[in-house]
Amino acid sequence: MKKYSVLSVDSNTDYLFFVPITCAFWKKLGYHPYVVLVDNNDISPDILNLILTSAEKVGAHINHFKHIEGYRTCNVAQISRLFAAADPLFNDDDYLITDDMDKFVISDKWFNQQDFSKDIHIFDPDETNYTRLKIGNIGMKAKIWKEVIGISDKSLRENLSDCLSKMLSKESTWDQGWNLDEYILTKRVFESKYYPNNCQMFERGGNQYGMRNGRIDRGAWKETFMQCISSSVIDVHLHRDPYKDEIWADTKIIMSLVFSELERAYFEGYKQKFVELV
């Protein structure tokens, strides 16, 4: 069994920037990063080349995915994670865990605590009072993903196109499409034969800032940064201005928890190249 982290991204540069770094964090935890990169021919060739070569260097697999016309690229990217198991790259026994691109994962203990006698692993269900599942983080073997989501023997593109045509009107507003991935995920898991008895849930709890325990969060960046750095960090919900000097300085401190000096120097060079191209 191989373990994979399933991520996605479109042409939004704030998210594109994180691709190789986020993938490198997952790699450190023993997961093979898999990224659906939705391209609508609106990514600069130079930026695209930098992303692809840097991601390859850290061991990520990039599915350079041609956009499905008629929908927002962000919606295609979000929902693609649910159908990743359709990719022939994966064996039925491979383990796939989903997450967002704008998160760094830090804690090996937190992300590798699964009891594999259970079929579905749900991280932090108490954040939504057990009423809605969030894409970060749900883990299952590829075979279970196919069964729960209803993935056919068709390609990833065909499965995703079928889902979009049924679930999202091309005239839908941004708000109507934004949480569709989590709506589908919640409905399919809750209605599956696995929920709740064959699910393992990892409660996390919140802190005094209204954020999740162990998370450095952009909603209270300085407060949670100081609190978590001085105690323990599970993950990081990344700042909207990732290359600003003060935020990048904080980000480098976070990176020092996981990466060597040489690795951090590589990402410093990557950041400088990215900013020049943007």
Side-chain angles (χ1 to χ4, degrees):
M1 176 185 75
K2 279 188 175 182
K3 295 190 295 183
Y4 289 88
S5 57
V6 177
L7 310 158
S8 64
V9 71
D10 64 2
S11 61
N12 185 321
T13 53
D14 286 348
Y15 289 83
L16 269 177
F17 171 70
F18 291 126
V19 170
I21 310 176
T22 297
C23 288
F25 273 99
W26 275 107
K27 191 73 173 177
K28 286 287 187 179
L29 299 187
Y31 288 83
H32 300 274
Y34 172 91
V35 180
V36 180
L37 194 164
V38 178
D39 189 353
N40 195 26
N41 298 319
D42 53 355
I43 304 174
S44 153
D46 290 336
I47 290 179
L48 180 61
N49 182 62
L50 177 63
I51 296 296
L52 294 178
T53 55
S54 301
E56 180 181 3
K57 184 176 179 65
V58 302
H61 177 93
I62 305 293
N63 181 343
H64 192 182
F65 191 88
K66 182 176 173 55
H67 179 52
I68 299 174
E69 294 298 330
Y71 304 98
R72 291 175 176 82
T73 55
C74 60
N75 296 142
V76 175
Q78 286 173 315
I79 298 169
S80 70
R81 291 171 290 186
L82 302 181
F83 293 91
D87 192 318
L89 171 74
F90 302 115
N91 296 317
D92 280 349
D93 194 47
D94 287 335
Y95 183 75
L96 280 57
I97 188 170
T98 55
D99 207 358
D100 294 318
M101 187 60 73
D102 59 339
K103 277 173 62 188
F104 290 163
V105 291
I106 310 296
S107 173
D108 180 88
K109 181 178 179 181
W110 176 259
F111 290 100
N112 287 292
Q113 60 178 315
Q114 298 93 328
D115 173 1
F116 288 103
S117 69
K118 298 290 187 179
D119 294 293
I120 301 176
H121 306 102
I122 302 173
F123 290 77
D124 204 9
D126 49 315
E127 181 178 9
T128 56
N129 198 27
Y130 306 87
T131 60
R132 178 170 64 90
L133 301 182
K134 303 197 74 175
I135 204 77
N137 308 98
I138 303 290
M140 313 176 217
K141 290 185 177 179
K143 181 179 180 179
I144 305 298
W145 274 107
K146 291 176 182 178
E147 180 183 339
V148 170
I149 299 299
I151 299 172
S152 72
D153 291 333
K154 296 179 182 178
S155 68
L156 170 56
R157 171 171 292 277
E158 290 170 310
N159 272 280
L160 183 52
S161 296
D162 289 346
C163 174
L164 288 167
S165 66
K166 293 174 184 175
M167 301 295 294
L168 188 65
S169 165
K170 294 185 178 181
E171 291 75 38
S172 295
T173 65
W174 185 89
D175 286 338
Q176 289 171 323
W178 184 247
N179 288 318
L180 181 57
D181 57 338
E182 293 185 351
Y183 168 80
I184 295 169
L185 178 63
T186 301
K187 181 176 173 61
R188 300 285 170 83
V189 170
F190 282 8
E191 291 179 355
S192 76
K193 67 183 182 183
Y194 302 103
Y195 188 86
N197 292 335
N198 287 340
C199 296
Q200 186 181 20
M201 304 190 195
F202 307 109
E203 289 79 8
R204 183 164 175 173
N207 59 31
Q208 69 269 38
Y209 304 113
M211 309 300 169
R212 308 311 292 161
N213 285 334
R215 174 172 293 164
I216 299 174
D217 197 294
R218 63 176 177 240
W221 182 264
K222 278 300 178 186
E223 296 86 349
T224 54
F225 179 85
M226 295 302 296
Q227 183 182 73
C228 293
I229 287 293
S230 63
S231 55
S232 62
V233 186
I234 292 176
D235 55 18
V236 183
H237 191 200
L238 292 154
H239 206 280
R240 290 293 192 193
D241 298 306
Y243 354 105
K244 285 192 174 179
D245 290 345
E246 184 178 2
I247 300 304
W248 182 245
D250 290 343
T251 302
K252 288 195 290 185
I253 292 172
I254 294 166
M255 292 169 65
S256 72
L257 301 174
V258 173
F259 298 121
S260 69
E261 184 177 351
L262 185 61
E263 290 167 325
R264 298 198 304 275
Y266 173 78
F267 287 123
E268 178 67 38
Y270 161 78
K271 177 253 188 184
Q272 292 175 3
K273 291 176 185 175
F274 190 94
V275 171
E276 287 171 4
L277 293 172
V278 172

